[in-house]
Amino acid sequence: MSYAPDGQQYQPYRPEGQIPQPPQGDRYGRPYGRPPQGQQDPYGQPAQYAPHDQYGQQGPYEEPEPPRRKARGRRWLIAGASVLALAGIAALVLNHYEIPPFTDKGSAVSFGKTPAGEGKKNGNAPSANSKMLMPTGPAAEFKNSMTLPDGTHVAVTTLDGKKSGFKGKVWVWAPKEYDDPKFAKSGFPVMIALPGGAGYPSNYWMGTDLGLQTSISKWYAEGKSKPFILAMPVLNPGPDDKGVYWDGSDIPGQPKMGTWLTEDVPDLMKANFRTVKSRDGWAFMGSSTGGFAGLKAVLKHPDKFKAVIASGPDIVPDSSLWKGHEKEKAENNPELLAKQLIDGKGPEVYLAFQVGDSESNKKTLPDVQKFVATYGNKGPVHAELKVIKGGRHNAKTYVPNMGEGPVQYISKVMEGPVE
């Protein structure tokens, strides 16, 4: 049976009132022989015939059944979906290999609405008693490293440290609140995040796989954390390929990594972001060797930094580069620095430790416990220890647990956003 496109039975046109007669033919209903040329079939159309069959006869040609719209629509739908799927796969591949315009990596990034150093020129300078420090300039050249789902950017610049003489990369990130008009005249707290291991040529906190940036946004929304701006500098001046590292310190004859971390990096942040004038808006965070460097920085410079989150840290300097420099080594020993701070009665610092009970170095937990027992909560030194049950010596252990104690601990004593 043939069907018209709308699904109704097909009826060929014929003059009104004309009733076709069935053709005469063999027992199969096929006409005998071919009609004379020009003769029409009973429906008024020239007859068309199929090739001879096994009986030597020719049968009438039947038009193929017209395709149905639904079947055609399904084919177009499948074809369209296939094209879109292939396009999506291609876009992901091009994005992975960072081929424009499918990625914005490498594009210029600016933070905030007021260019660095322009506060006084356009009349937006804060009052003299403001707790907020406008960007002082000069503006750094930031390039996008990655864009997060909320539209914020992790950007990178190469900082030529004027005070340390060291030149290296620093990654930065600001929470979405930084560009919120509600906070347009507010200074934000800064957290300098230090990695473990080599910490060179990159700082692993700059990647989004560990979730540090998204966690800070989440913790702030939950009322657990300040909306920290992150500074993520390289920790060492070279690779840790022979067990050599610099303890985040100014070791004689070596690049001045202590000055780089505690002076050059903060100067970069002050030059490009609205920050907090006082030390109440400045903190460190680090894991392993980065935890040691952050702990030591706060104890050595309590006039500049108020708090640290130290995860699985070393407690004493142990770089092989200290050989022959015992005096300088002692000046960078957290135990001795804590004692000096207690004896000198201030200023107050807050040390939030977290250590897994399954750390690879079995000395880490007892060493931190001893430090807290000896120096913690005595005079200006305030300390808290979170033991992570089943926790191992890695950043994936430390980040989620930061939100369950350590980040609240330091956020309660820090300031920001402030006007």
Side-chain angles (χ1 to χ4, degrees):
M1 181 179 295
S2 297
Y3 291 86
D6 61 0
Q8 301 298 316
Q9 184 173 344
Y10 179 75
Q11 295 290 345
Y13 171 79
R14 55 182 178 270
E16 186 176 357
Q18 181 177 339
I19 301 175
Q21 298 296 320
Q24 301 296 317
D26 62 13
R27 61 193 179 98
Y28 296 99
R30 296 174 295 200
Y32 295 110
R34 184 185 297 274
Q37 186 171 356
Q39 180 176 330
Q40 296 183 343
D41 68 9
Y43 294 91
Q45 301 295 332
Q48 301 182 63
Y49 290 83
H52 288 81
D53 62 12
Q54 60 180 332
Y55 297 99
Q57 302 292 333
Q58 289 182 320
Y61 175 80
E62 293 185 2
E63 292 184 4
E65 183 176 330
R68 301 185 182 183
R69 283 183 178 174
K70 290 184 179 179
R72 184 180 299 172
R74 282 196 298 270
R75 287 196 296 271
W76 277 109
L77 182 61
I78 294 170
S82 300
V83 170
L84 289 174
L86 290 172
I89 294 171
L92 289 173
V93 171
L94 294 171
N95 180 271
H96 175 76
Y97 289 103
E98 299 169 7
I99 300 176
F102 297 93
T103 178
D104 58 358
K105 185 172 183 178
S107 59
V109 174
S110 61
F111 296 90
K113 307 302 181 185
T114 303
E118 295 295 313
K120 294 181 180 179
K121 294 181 182 180
N122 58 25
N124 288 334
S127 62
N129 60 352
S130 173
K131 293 183 177 181
M132 182 263 284
L133 177 67
M134 287 291 291
T136 60
E141 183 180 349
F142 289 109
K143 297 295 184 181
N144 191 39
S145 178
M146 61 190 67
T147 301
L148 277 64
D150 65 357
T152 58
H153 301 282
V154 176
V156 63
T157 191
T158 299
L159 172 62
D160 190 353
K162 303 303 181 186
K163 296 177 181 177
S164 67
F166 174 72
K167 186 176 183 178
K169 289 185 176 181
V170 181
W171 289 262
V172 299
W173 173 82
K176 61 181 177 15
E177 287 77 18
Y178 187 79
D179 280 329
D180 188 330
K182 182 173 65 174
F183 297 107
K185 296 182 179 181
S186 298
F188 280 66
V190 175
M191 178 182 284
I192 301 174
L194 304 179
Y200 180 92
S202 64
N203 178 321
Y204 57 58
W205 297 117
M206 52 75 71
T208 57
D209 55 325
L210 296 173
L212 178 60
Q213 295 86 357
T214 53
S215 294
I216 288 175
S217 293
K218 174 177 175 289
W219 296 331
Y220 175 64
E222 295 172 347
K224 296 179 179 179
S225 173
K226 298 293 186 184
F228 291 104
I229 299 172
L230 291 179
M232 299 164 279
V234 294
L235 177 61
N236 291 316
D240 181 18
D241 55 357
K242 295 180 180 179
V244 176
Y245 46 94
W246 282 256
D247 273 344
S249 305
D250 291 356
I251 301 176
Q254 299 294 328
K256 295 182 177 180
M257 301 313 294
T259 300
W260 157 261
L261 295 173
T262 61
E263 296 192 43
D264 288 331
V265 172
D267 285 349
L268 170 71
M269 303 308 287
K270 292 174 184 177
N272 291 275
F273 294 89
R274 303 187 309 274
T275 56
V276 180
K277 283 182 180 179
S278 75
R279 74 186 191 103
D280 293 338
W282 294 85
F284 274 89
M285 184 277 286
S287 58
S288 193
T289 56
F292 165 83
L295 171 65
K296 188 259 300 184
V298 171
L299 291 170
K300 189 175 180 68
H301 303 284
D303 57 322
K304 298 179 180 179
F305 309 100
K306 192 171 188 178
V308 61
I309 297 175
S311 302
D314 300 321
I315 292 299
V316 296
D318 60 358
S319 171
S320 61
L321 298 173
W322 287 115
K323 186 176 181 180
H325 306 289
E326 295 305 314
K327 176 179 178 294
E328 291 81 3
K329 182 179 180 180
E331 292 171 351
N332 289 273
N333 187 325
E335 292 182 333
L336 299 180
L337 291 169
K339 184 178 185 304
Q340 291 172 10
L341 195 57
I342 293 170
D343 293 343
K345 299 182 179 180
E348 293 186 316
V349 294
Y350 294 81
L351 317 176
F353 293 97
Q354 59 173 3
V355 182
D357 62 7
S358 297
E359 298 263 347
S360 53
N361 185 346
K362 301 305 180 184
K363 288 187 61 181
T364 301
L365 181 55
D367 284 351
V368 173
Q369 289 172 327
K370 180 182 177 181
F371 180 92
V372 172
T374 305
Y375 306 103
N377 303 311
K378 293 183 180 180
V381 178
H382 305 275
E384 181 179 87
L385 170 61
K386 174 182 175 62
V387 178
I388 304 170
K389 188 175 182 179
R392 298 184 178 277
H393 191 74
N394 58 59
K396 289 186 177 180
T397 290
Y398 300 141
V399 172
N401 284 282
M402 278 175 57
E404 300 304 321
V407 78
Q408 294 108 309
Y409 181 72
I410 69 167
S411 293
K412 288 177 181 178
V413 298
M414 296 188 68
E415 289 193 341
V418 296
E419 294 186 5

